[in-house]
Amino acid sequence: MSAAGSLLVAAPLVAVPSLVVALRPARPDTVAPLRLAVVRAAVVTGAFAVLTVELLGALRLLTLPAFAVAWLAFVAATVAAATWRRRRAAGPGGARAAAGPGGAPGPATVRARLADRWRTAGRGERLLAGTVGGLVLVELLIALLAEPNNFDSQTYHLPKVEHWVAQGSLDFWPTAIHRQVTIPPGAEYLLLHLRLFTGGDALYNLVQWAAGVGCLLAVARIAAQLGGGRRAQLLTAFVLGTTPMVALQATSTQTDLVCAAWVACVATLALDGLRRRAGFGTLLLLGAATGLTAVTKTSGLIGVGPLLLLWGIGQLRLAYLGGTGRVADRDRRVGARVDGPARPALVGAGRVGLPTGGADPVAPAAAAGVTRPGAGGGAPEPPGSRAGGTARTVAGSVLVVLVALLVVGPFLARVQAEFGHPLGPPRLRESIPMERHDPPSVLVNALRIGHTALDTPLAPVRAGTAEAIMAGARAIGVDPQDRAITFGRETFPVPSWYPDEDRVAFPLAGALALVGASLALARPARVSPAAAGALRGYATVVVAAVALHTAMIKWQPWGNRLLLYALVLAAPLAGLWLDSLFRRRLASESESASGSSSAPGRRRSVAAGLAVAMLAGSALAGVLALSYGFPRRLVGAGSVFTTSEWDTRFLRRPQWADEFRAAADAVRASGARRVGLVQQNDNWEYPWWLLLRDADGRPPELVALQSVLPDRPPADPGSTDAIVCTGTRKVCADLVPAGWTLTWRGYVGYALPPPG
């Protein structure tokens, strides 16, 4: 990495904290203001990164100098905004300078508060926080040490970045792998910045790691918005952070965690709209987060759609009730009715290992997002303004859509121009989405997706439930392997319990989320007395998102990845339910101490014990995933400490490593500069970009000899200096010019022209 590249890598590390300062909310009743500022900063930075790629790509300036200018300007703007915010908060006399913007604490105050919270925390709270923090640090270590070795990344995620760098633009290119141009490239846009800064892929894994951290912060804030105290927030982060799929993807160049992070940003911003009219800035953020979701993975929109609908209903409700003041008064009255009987459950909470729910400094009303009458920006609206409030909501919704289209629109326009449809060619539109939507087919698809998501190492359980699903499907007239509801040629069932980043199940987190969602729908006041209505609405959104997913996406062996956004959304429901369970257990202990023990109290104690066991199992699953997960692990064969760089890249297919290297050595020895590619849709292309680079790092000129893009014909094999092939020998041989020598080794081959 050059000195200039090192400085540019530091640019996001300066810009994001500056944005956190500049965008920290000034309202004193804001829930978790620092986490909200981080969400805002992430969305602004992500939108800047994506729009920079789109703008410079349109100008054919995807180069290091152009990106350096863009980032230096962005850093200067964010630092200036942070400085202005601090000066404004300090006032003329500077008396508040130490406090930070809008009353925000300075670094010393933040450290003091963290130290105080740790000192006053219970043993359980420290255990929860320490486990999550430890996993995040280990994930960071693996992300830095391991080379990218995700299967899909070798096929299309990383090759598309190399194509952009080689051609200096985002124009489509002839290719046999349609996913290189048809799959939304939002996560790869972020990788492109790192590629230009560093000249390689050493920091690629940090994008998903940062997305994982963002998910944890966002879901913890969602738990607070739904009335959860500090314990509920930590339980939420714990459930999500220990899920093997999250732990493994946080060290990967896969894209599901990035998508989930943007969906979580939409969720926490949308929940603010249940208690407060959205301002112009919030509308821009909602639109940007929606656009970032769409440009990263379109399946994430299945979760974003219901969230925006909930936000719109909340905004209309505020207009109908006449402003935030009336909403606050009404909700305080409701909260007083439902919260009263639950308060004794907090008595004696400090005697158990788990943290108390009453330790959070946020008051219940603030935790629910309730705005006090007259609190800045929340002036009541007169009843006659309902029509105006409705119009404002409609206009705001239109603005959200327009901003989202600004972010994702350029990519959709290129796809539309290339294939005549914004969602790509028929091959893509028909392979993943459901082709049957009759209730029996949707039910069977949902059962198969649920079975794969909740898979366990218990083979008899797996086999028994799978057979029951298939028998039930046949009984209602649905073929359980119907291609219209099953991806490609895959066959249900497949084992998914093993900690593999592409398909690992989440039975513990999934079970906790299912229970939490059920209780949030049926008895929200018991789960969160301070925000029962918001909790039920949010749970409805999560359930609707899962239902839509099963009705729209075919079952596939790696479908658990596609559900990751839904798991992230559901984590707060699990955390809030667990918190209410422990709260009621404390009440039972108090009753027992006073001699009034009851059967319900004993049942609650048993349930709490089972919940603690599940949490312990979840922690163990997270640790084992990082220790022995695939294809990056701490110990055993393939450890990041003992495996060479090249072998790490090929852990998915170790038998291919020597074949790729031998072919590349032969091509380089021939002096070839223009190299033809022959490959099939799921073959690995990225190793060629690494092996055929010049000594100074300049990428090779790789041209495809096949193309699935109708208007972009492949190169003439005779115009190349050499040909490299993967997959099928016959396909390669058919394209090799007469007189050339074809050498084949298992999966990889190469062809060279005759000497002279």
Side-chain angles (χ1 to χ4, degrees):
M1 187 189 309
S2 65
S6 300
L7 292 175
L8 289 173
V9 167
L13 303 180
V14 176
V16 172
S18 298
L19 283 172
V20 169
V21 173
L23 299 176
R24 185 179 176 111
R27 296 176 62 104
D29 61 339
T30 301
V31 179
L34 180 57
R35 274 170 273 171
L36 176 57
V38 172
V39 167
R40 291 174 171 178
V43 172
V44 170
T45 304
F48 162 78
V50 168
L51 293 176
T52 296
V53 172
E54 290 288 1
L55 176 61
L56 295 180
L59 298 175
R60 308 188 71 82
L61 287 174
L62 297 182
T63 62
L64 178 58
F67 273 65
V69 171
W71 271 99
L72 291 176
F74 184 63
V75 169
T78 59
V79 171
T83 302
W84 174 82
R85 180 71 184 276
R86 285 187 179 277
R87 289 177 178 173
R88 182 183 180 190
R96 297 176 61 196
T109 306
V110 170
R111 288 193 296 270
R113 288 185 179 180
L114 289 176
D116 180 67
R117 290 190 180 187
W118 183 262
R119 185 175 60 255
T120 58
R123 289 170 297 175
E125 184 170 346
R126 291 184 179 183
L127 183 60
L128 293 172
T131 301
V132 174
L135 289 175
V136 168
L137 291 177
V138 173
E139 291 160 7
L140 175 60
L141 176 65
I142 297 175
L144 290 171
L145 292 179
E147 287 73 29
N149 60 0
N150 172 262
F151 193 103
D152 285 347
S153 296
Q154 307 279 9
T155 299
Y156 67 97
H157 290 312
L158 304 188
K160 68 172 67 173
V161 176
E162 296 300 324
H163 279 284
W164 295 334
V165 173
Q167 64 189 23
S169 73
L170 299 175
D171 293 344
F172 290 165
W173 53 90
T175 178
I177 304 174
H178 76 86
R179 291 178 294 173
Q180 291 183 358
V181 296
T182 56
I183 298 294
E188 292 89 339
Y189 282 173
L190 305 182
L191 295 180
L192 176 60
H193 292 262
L194 295 177
R195 169 66 175 85
L196 292 172
F197 291 169
T198 66
D201 57 18
L203 301 181
Y204 277 6
N205 293 333
L206 294 184
V207 171
Q208 282 256 113
W209 178 82
V213 173
C215 286
L216 294 176
L217 295 175
V219 297
R221 182 171 190 264
I222 291 171
Q225 290 172 287
L226 296 175
R230 187 166 62 188
R231 177 175 62 196
Q233 297 168 43
L234 279 173
L235 285 167
T236 296
F238 183 89
V239 169
L240 183 64
T242 56
T243 302
M245 175 69 77
V246 174
L248 290 170
Q249 287 227 11
T251 65
S252 170
T253 48
Q254 193 55 272
T255 62
D256 305 282
L257 208 49
V258 176
C259 173
W262 297 134
V263 175
C265 289
V266 174
T268 192
L269 293 170
L271 282 176
D272 281 338
L274 299 186
R275 301 294 180 178
R276 183 178 303 141
R277 296 309 303 270
F280 183 71
T282 299
L283 295 174
L284 294 179
L285 289 168
L286 271 173
T290 299
L292 289 169
T293 302
V295 81
T296 301
K297 211 173 188 71
T298 51
S299 58
L301 294 177
I302 299 174
V304 168
L307 286 167
L308 292 180
L309 179 60
L310 177 66
W311 171 83
I313 293 173
Q315 293 290 286
L316 291 174
R317 174 174 174 266
L318 290 172
Y320 178 79
L321 291 177
T324 57
R326 290 182 61 185
V327 173
D329 292 338
R330 171 177 167 173
D331 286 350
R332 266 197 295 273
R333 292 193 299 270
V334 174
R337 291 197 298 270
V338 299
D339 196 25
R343 289 190 181 278
L346 299 177
V347 177
R351 297 200 305 269
V352 298
L354 285 169
T356 64
D360 200 306
V362 180
V370 175
T371 306
R372 296 191 305 273
E381 300 174 11
S385 67
R386 291 176 183 174
T390 301
R392 175 181 170 184
T393 300
V394 173
S397 302
V398 172
L399 179 59
V400 169
V401 173
L402 291 177
V403 173
L405 288 176
L406 175 66
V407 176
V408 71
F411 168 71
L412 295 180
R414 289 194 298 275
V415 175
Q416 171 71 37
E418 191 71 35
F419 299 103
H421 195 287
L423 298 181
R427 178 178 184 178
L428 177 64
R429 301 198 306 270
E430 297 170 3
S431 61
I432 297 178
M434 287 273 285
E435 298 177 80
R436 290 181 56 179
H437 299 91
D438 54 288
S441 296
V442 172
L443 175 61
V444 171
N445 194 54
L447 291 174
R448 294 183 306 165
I449 289 175
H451 177 274
T452 304
L454 302 177
D455 191 22
T456 71
L458 303 175
V461 174
R462 181 191 314 120
T465 53
E467 184 56 40
I469 291 173
M470 291 189 289
R474 288 188 287 267
I476 60 176
V478 178
D479 178 3
Q481 314 300 345
D482 186 353
R483 297 301 102 188
I485 61 174
T486 305
F487 180 85
R489 299 180 180 178
E490 305 299 329
T491 301
F492 174 83
V494 295
S496 61
W497 63 268
Y498 184 78
D500 183 309
E501 67 172 353
D502 283 337
R503 62 175 65 190
V504 61
F506 30 84
L508 294 176
L512 292 172
L514 286 173
V515 175
S518 300
L519 292 176
L521 291 172
R523 309 187 71 176
R526 291 193 62 184
V527 176
S528 179
L535 176 61
R536 176 174 279 167
Y538 182 78
T540 301
V541 162
V542 174
V543 171
V546 174
L548 287 172
H549 185 101
T550 59
M552 298 173 66
I553 305 296
K554 293 178 180 178
W555 175 89
Q556 48 193 285
W558 43 88
N560 292 342
R561 291 194 299 105
L562 305 183
L563 266 177
L564 189 55
Y565 76 91
L567 178 67
V568 170
L569 291 180
L573 302 178
L576 289 164
W577 165 66
L578 289 169
D579 178 62
S580 68
L581 179 63
F582 295 133
R583 185 173 65 239
R584 292 195 299 274
R585 176 190 178 188
L586 297 174
S588 299
E589 290 183 351
S590 298
E591 293 173 359
S592 179
S594 63
S596 57
S597 179
S598 62
R602 289 191 293 271
R603 288 195 297 269
R604 285 194 291 266
S605 295
V606 171
L610 290 174
V612 170
M614 293 183 71
L615 290 174
S618 183
L620 179 61
V623 171
L624 290 177
L626 291 178
S627 300
Y628 297 99
F630 193 74
R632 291 165 302 281
R633 58 177 54 168
L634 289 174
V635 297
S639 166
V640 294
F641 296 115
T642 60
T643 308
S644 69
E645 172 190 347
W646 191 246
D647 289 337
T648 298
R649 294 182 184 277
F650 280 85
L651 281 174
R652 283 284 185 191
R653 297 292 187 272
Q655 68 274 20
W656 295 349
D658 291 339
E659 297 177 13
F660 268 97
R661 196 196 303 266
D665 288 344
V667 170
R668 289 172 61 89
S670 72
R673 280 301 310 160
R674 181 176 169 88
V675 180
L677 286 175
V678 179
Q679 53 197 359
Q680 285 78 59
N681 186 57
D682 208 31
N683 291 175
W684 286 16
E685 180 182 312
Y686 186 59
W688 299 125
W689 291 97
L690 300 177
L691 290 167
L692 298 176
R693 284 183 184 176
D694 286 345
D696 61 0
R698 188 163 60 97
E701 184 183 0
L702 295 180
V703 295
L705 303 185
Q706 312 136 287
S707 179
V708 295
L709 278 67
D711 297 329
R712 298 185 186 272
D716 180 4
S719 69
T720 64
D721 303 322
I723 296 174
V724 293
C725 311
T726 52
T728 304
R729 178 185 179 116
K730 183 181 184 306
V731 174
C732 183
D734 290 343
L735 292 170
V736 172
W740 286 38
T741 301
L742 174 61
T743 304
W744 197 266
R745 296 184 57 185
Y747 176 77
V748 178
Y750 65 94
L752 298 174

